[in-house]
Amino acid sequence: MSVAPATATAATRSLPLTLFAVAATVEVVAVAADLTVLQWIAKPLLGPLLLWHLLRRARPDLVAVALAFATAGDVALLVPGDVAFLAGMGFFLVTQICLLIAFVRHHRPRPLPVALGAVVWVTANAVLANRLGALAVPVLVYSLALIAMAAAAAGVNRRVGAGGALFAVSDLLIGLDAAGVTLPAHGVLVMATYAAALALITTGWARR
């Protein structure tokens, strides 16, 4: 008699993640096919769907705030132009700071991820600085918060650590593009790694 209610409860709990998977797939396809309208529909749903999942399992915290700012950043980056790009970077800077504080409160960062992160940050900025022009300083500041977040994520659990690393990879690809270095299928790689990063961080944080 208890099997059906238990199954229904499990299905309900998985609904936000199922919808997220659908939205993320639509977004990646829309980026690959350059379908702007679909991008405007799917991308702003990613953060709210993960927030829905998180709030079903935990009280509101800084990770929830981070997802809200990530959503604002997603919308800003859908708008073309340098002003929108800087606005998006600002929203995501708040995202990284919120995640960093949440992770550090949970567990003290480990020395090895911090050391590796420092090497990546110095190397990436040294290589890209001359190519970024006026964006060099904003990218320097943002990337510091990003790498610090990724290093701190490794101390939470493996899932959150993997999400933090993928977030850094996704934003590094954006930085390369801003510096004039565009990889094949750049947009798809950025979106796929970003969506996976958000999902891993959120689900890993909910399970901690």
Side-chain angles (χ1 to χ4, degrees):
M1 294 294 291
S2 62
V3 174
T7 303
T9 301
T12 302
R13 287 178 178 175
S14 68
L15 179 60
L17 294 182
T18 300
L19 294 175
F20 172 83
V22 172
T25 301
V26 170
E27 172 62 14
V28 170
V29 171
V31 169
D34 196 22
L35 301 174
T36 304
V37 173
L38 273 185
Q39 292 179 50
W40 273 95
I41 293 172
K43 194 175 184 183
L45 293 176
L46 300 180
L49 288 170
L50 289 176
L51 183 59
W52 179 13
H53 170 76
L54 182 63
L55 294 181
R56 281 173 164 266
R57 294 172 174 267
R59 291 177 298 178
D61 59 10
L62 283 173
V63 174
V65 175
L67 288 171
F69 274 95
T71 302
D74 284 338
V75 173
L77 292 179
L78 285 170
V79 180
D82 288 343
V83 174
F85 181 81
L86 289 172
M89 187 182 296
F91 286 126
F92 275 107
L93 176 60
V94 179
T95 297
Q96 305 306 342
I97 292 172
C98 288
L99 292 175
L100 173 61
I101 294 173
F103 298 161
V104 170
R105 284 178 176 175
H106 181 270
H107 193 283
R108 180 178 297 178
R110 297 171 182 170
L112 181 57
V114 171
L116 290 175
V119 171
V120 171
W121 180 72
V122 171
T123 303
N125 281 281
V127 171
L128 298 178
N130 291 334
R131 292 174 170 266
L132 289 170
L135 291 174
V137 174
V139 168
L140 184 75
V141 174
Y142 175 77
S143 61
L144 178 60
L146 171 69
I147 295 300
M149 179 281 297
V156 179
N157 56 44
R158 290 182 179 179
R159 185 180 288 259
V160 173
L166 281 177
F167 213 139
V169 169
S170 180
D171 281 358
L172 177 60
L173 291 172
I174 295 175
L176 287 172
D177 184 60
V181 181
T182 304
L183 300 179
H186 167 265
V188 171
L189 289 173
V190 168
M191 199 62 242
T193 51
Y194 169 68
L198 283 187
L200 287 169
I201 288 172
T202 303
T203 56
W205 186 252
R207 290 181 177 182
R208 70 193 187 283

